[in-house]
Amino acid sequence: MDCMINPDNPEIVYASSQYGSISRSTDGGSSFRSIRAPNSEDGEWTTPIVQDMNNPSVIFSGYGNVWKSINMGTSWTKISNFPSLPASGKPAKISALTLYPANSGCIYAAQRMHHEYNYPNSNLWVTFDGGSRWSNITEGLPDSLYFTSIAVDGSDSLRAWVTCGGFVAGQKVFMTTDGGATWQNQSAGLPNIPANSVVHQEGYGSDVLYLGTDAGIYYYTEESDA
């Protein structure tokens, strides 16, 4: 499912399988040990895991809540308290998770909709203080769709992009410049196919985005619609 390699030590490798099973290797993959965070919460089919590139010993995972480890997954602390679904008694599963590259205290997390629990709405959350306070920033987004990926501008924690799965025309990529207070649709020129992953490229005067979809990769700059 998801994977990571410690940038300071390539012998430290993380791998995951469906529904939130995460393992760590300290010998380049020759052996692994389970470091799954909470057994009390369900993980998504692909449970997101990310590491703080300023301190790779700090990693995060998203189940029903966001969990943080300061020792490469040996122990975990819950840093959110998202509401539970009435029908299940558990929070909605987190489908996307990302950190502001310059400061891991800024975290964006998306929870998927759950039609099976008669709870159709997805939610997008942000914290700017490491999880002490979370804000729901879903307003202005198509919350009936599945939020698949989040990217944050490496030099501005208030600039972020979120992508949507599904087959609703013109509802693929949304951008905020104010930390989610408002959103602008950036889906012009994209076909009606699911948008699965967005990456913001650093080091240019204008926005450069790469978008992975079900039928290829799309490239965007401020000078071009697609």
Side-chain angles (χ1 to χ4, degrees):
M1 308 307 279
D2 209 351
C3 61
M4 303 186 300
I5 299 173
N6 186 303
D8 295 336
N9 182 353
E11 294 294 300
I12 302 174
V13 179
Y14 302 88
S16 68
S17 57
Q18 61 270 33
Y19 300 123
S21 295
I22 304 174
S23 298
R24 183 189 70 214
S25 172
T26 57
D27 55 15
S30 296
S31 61
F32 282 87
R33 58 163 291 188
S34 175
I35 57 167
R36 191 191 195 282
N39 289 320
S40 59
E41 292 184 354
D42 297 328
E44 181 58 297
W45 176 253
T46 301
T47 296
I49 53 174
V50 293
Q51 59 187 325
D52 183 352
M53 300 306 286
N54 302 297
N55 180 2
S57 294
V58 178
I59 64 174
F60 299 80
S61 61
Y63 290 83
N65 281 285
V66 180
W67 293 75
K68 176 182 179 179
S69 172
I70 62 172
N71 50 22
M72 301 185 299
T74 300
S75 60
W76 295 88
T77 300
K78 186 173 71 169
I79 62 169
S80 68
N81 190 27
F82 298 146
S84 295
L85 303 177
S88 69
K90 298 179 180 180
K93 297 173 185 175
I94 292 175
S95 56
L97 181 69
T98 196
L99 311 176
Y100 173 46
N103 181 357
S104 63
C106 173
I107 308 166
Y108 288 79
Q111 290 179 299
R112 56 160 290 187
M113 81 296 254
H114 279 272
H115 293 298
E116 69 273 29
Y117 296 134
N118 194 29
Y119 188 87
N121 296 334
S122 295
N123 284 286
L124 188 64
W125 302 84
V126 67
T127 179
F128 294 101
D129 57 12
S132 296
R133 294 170 295 179
W134 290 86
S135 298
N136 190 317
I137 55 172
T138 315
E139 186 174 355
L141 294 172
D143 60 5
S144 62
L145 297 178
Y146 185 109
F147 298 144
T148 53
S149 178
I150 311 165
V152 185
D153 188 320
S155 58
D156 186 350
S157 63
L158 301 180
R159 290 172 57 83
W161 296 263
V162 61
T163 57
C164 298
F167 293 92
V168 180
Q171 306 282 290
K172 308 302 174 184
V173 182
F174 293 82
M175 180 186 73
T176 181
T177 59
D178 51 20
T182 59
W183 293 92
Q184 299 86 48
N185 193 331
Q186 282 196 314
S187 305
L190 292 171
N192 188 11
I193 52 178
N196 302 316
S197 180
V198 62
V199 175
H200 176 252
Q201 184 173 354
E202 304 295 325
Y204 289 83
S206 60
D207 285 331
V208 178
L209 300 175
Y210 298 90
L211 179 71
T213 75
D214 274 15
I217 299 172
Y218 289 79
Y219 169 80
Y220 172 91
T221 69
E222 285 184 342
E223 290 78 23
S224 172
D225 287 339

